[in-house]
């Protein structure tokens, strides 16, 4: 019996590594993660980017992923980010943060840096799939009949007011600020980058036009944006997400970037991407 037992194969499962812990990444400044538009992720986790913050902490990086109002204008959301950053700075005696913003959160922070007193708290600023040039998906929503727009707006405002009652939601008002015309013709002209802080960006593309999968729930959006703008992550085109020093185009959907609705076989890609974000900051001395 024992002569047929393959001990090498069996013990391979228990093979010990010299360093089994997650890779330690030492950054000069803690990370603040800023989420984008929407409240659905908050229905299944403490905050949209909570999983990412915990992942970063497992690699030795102090990271925070707070919540602000999910549906509101850039001006309102920016004020809330500013308040939260100041509170974290005072509570934990943190002079500066590496701010990493996802989606609409990137527009919020750009505004806060340009128009509000946020600069002293920010060491570096990185955006992930932020619609720096708008998204045709917002235009699609606004082309719906007024009656449908009103019902959708009421529903999302109702949801937003219940998951985050501190601030009144404005779902349709915020969508209008994500259109290509608004961002390109107004926002980008009025909101100027600072030359004292580095601006980095990561874009993303999956689905149509690529060899990478996209979730069924955002396949229609992916196809629509492809026809209008080219390759995209299901919500934001790769071209629109490029701003400042563009690092790379990753192949994760907008949902996967938040570790939301991620298939088991896609988890390594999500982890690899966020490790790359951290290593980019480390390499640049932040």
């Amino acid at each position: 019996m024992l002569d047929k037992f393959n001990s090498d194969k069996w013990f391979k499962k228990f093979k010990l590594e010299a360093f089994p812990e997650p890779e330690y990444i030492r950054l000069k400044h803690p990370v603040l993660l800023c989420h984008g538009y929407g409240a659905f992720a908050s229905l299944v986790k403490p905050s949209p980017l909570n999983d990412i913050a915990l992942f970063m902490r497992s690699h030795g990086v102090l990271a925070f992923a707070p919540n602000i109002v999910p549906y509101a204008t850039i001006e309102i959301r920016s004020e809330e980010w500013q308040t939260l950053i100041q509170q974290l700075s005072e509570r934990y005696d943190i002079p500066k943060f590496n701010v990493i913003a996802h989606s609409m959160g990137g527009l919020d922070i750009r505004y806060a840096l340009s128009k509000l007193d946020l600069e002293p708290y920010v060491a570096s600023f990185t955006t992930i799939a932020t619609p720096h040039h708008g998204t045709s998906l917002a235009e699609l929503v606004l082309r719906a009949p007024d009656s449908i727009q009103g019902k959708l707006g009421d529903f999302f405002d109702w949801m937003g007011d219940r998951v985050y009652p501190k601030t009144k939601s404005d779902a349709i008002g915020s969508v209008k600020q994500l259109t290509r015309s608004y961002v390109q013709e107004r926002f980008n002209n009025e909101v100027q980058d600072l030359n004292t802080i580095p601006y980095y960006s990561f874009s993303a593309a999956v689905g149509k036009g690529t060899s990478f999968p996209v979730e069924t729930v955002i396949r229609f959006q992916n196809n629509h944006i492809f026809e209008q703008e080219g390759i995209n992550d299901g919500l934001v085109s790769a071209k629109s997400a490029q701003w400042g020093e563009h690092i790379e185009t990753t192949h994760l959907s907008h949902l996967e970037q938040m570790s939301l609705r991620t298939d088991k076989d896609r988890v390594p890609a999500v982890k690899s991407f966020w490790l790359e974000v951290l290593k980019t900051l480390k390499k640049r001395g932040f």
Side-chain angles (χ1 to χ4, degrees):
M1 186 72 175
L2 286 175
D3 60 332
K4 297 181 180 180
F5 178 66
N6 189 335
S7 61
D8 289 340
K9 183 178 180 180
W10 192 80
F11 276 106
K12 188 175 182 180
K13 299 178 182 179
F14 302 96
K15 185 177 180 180
L16 298 177
E17 297 181 9
F19 299 101
E21 298 80 14
E23 180 181 359
Y24 175 58
I25 299 177
R26 186 173 183 175
L27 295 185
K28 186 176 179 181
H29 307 282
V31 167
L32 177 76
L33 293 160
C34 301
H35 67 79
Y37 178 97
F40 286 107
S42 300
L43 299 178
V44 295
K45 58 176 71 178
S47 72
L49 296 174
N50 181 71
D51 293 347
I52 307 305
L54 295 181
F55 172 76
M56 289 183 175
R57 290 192 177 199
S58 74
H59 287 272
V61 175
L62 179 58
F64 303 90
N67 288 303
I68 64 162
V69 57
Y71 305 106
T73 62
I74 294 170
E75 292 82 359
I76 297 299
R77 287 167 55 94
S78 297
E79 291 177 356
E80 295 205 349
W81 287 125
Q82 179 192 33
T83 299
L84 285 175
I85 290 174
Q86 291 175 339
Q87 289 176 347
L88 285 172
S89 177
E90 294 172 2
R91 184 181 303 172
Y92 297 106
D93 192 25
I94 300 173
K96 290 179 180 289
F97 294 87
N98 288 310
V99 176
I100 302 176
H102 182 246
S103 196
M104 185 180 180
L107 299 182
D108 300 337
I109 299 302
R110 278 180 58 196
Y111 184 92
L113 286 170
S114 177
K115 303 294 185 180
L116 306 179
D117 190 25
L118 191 65
E119 178 184 4
Y121 300 94
V122 180
S124 70
F125 174 42
T126 303
T127 59
I128 313 293
T130 287
H132 291 292
H133 304 278
T135 173
S136 56
L137 190 61
E139 298 152 23
L140 179 65
V141 173
L142 295 175
R143 284 203 296 270
D146 291 343
S147 58
I148 296 178
Q149 272 192 51
K151 291 179 180 178
L152 285 174
D154 290 344
F155 172 74
F156 287 122
D157 287 346
W158 173 83
M159 177 186 292
D161 291 343
R162 275 149 185 77
V163 300
Y164 196 86
K166 297 179 181 180
T167 306
K168 178 64 179 175
S169 291
D170 183 5
I172 298 300
S174 49
V175 168
K176 291 178 180 178
Q177 292 186 324
L178 297 175
T179 61
R180 288 175 291 177
S181 59
Y182 180 86
V183 179
Q184 294 177 28
E185 298 169 14
R186 181 173 174 179
F187 185 86
N188 287 346
N189 288 329
E190 296 178 359
V191 177
Q192 301 298 311
D193 290 353
L194 304 180
N195 57 19
T196 55
I197 295 171
Y199 288 61
Y200 305 122
S201 64
F202 288 82
S203 57
V206 294
K208 194 166 185 179
T210 78
S211 59
F212 299 90
V214 63
E215 300 93 329
T216 303
V217 70
I218 57 173
R219 188 167 296 160
F220 170 80
Q221 296 93 315
N222 179 250
N223 290 335
H224 173 79
I225 297 175
F226 181 82
E227 296 300 326
Q228 295 288 318
E229 305 175 63
I231 57 173
N232 63 89
D233 66 359
L235 293 181
V236 177
S237 73
K239 185 177 180 179
S240 182
Q242 298 182 26
W243 194 262
E245 181 184 344
H246 179 244
I247 306 300
E248 67 175 20
T249 298
T250 188
H251 298 293
L252 298 175
S253 75
H254 211 78
L255 301 180
E256 288 175 327
Q257 294 155 27
M258 297 183 284
S259 190
L260 184 67
R261 295 182 62 88
T262 306
D263 291 339
K264 187 177 181 180
D265 62 343
R266 296 284 290 164
V267 170
V270 174
K271 292 182 176 180
S272 178
F273 167 69
W274 284 106
L275 273 178
E276 179 63 26
V277 173
L278 294 178
K279 289 179 179 179
T280 296
L281 292 174
K282 180 181 178 180
K283 182 178 180 181
R284 286 160 170 74
F286 294 103

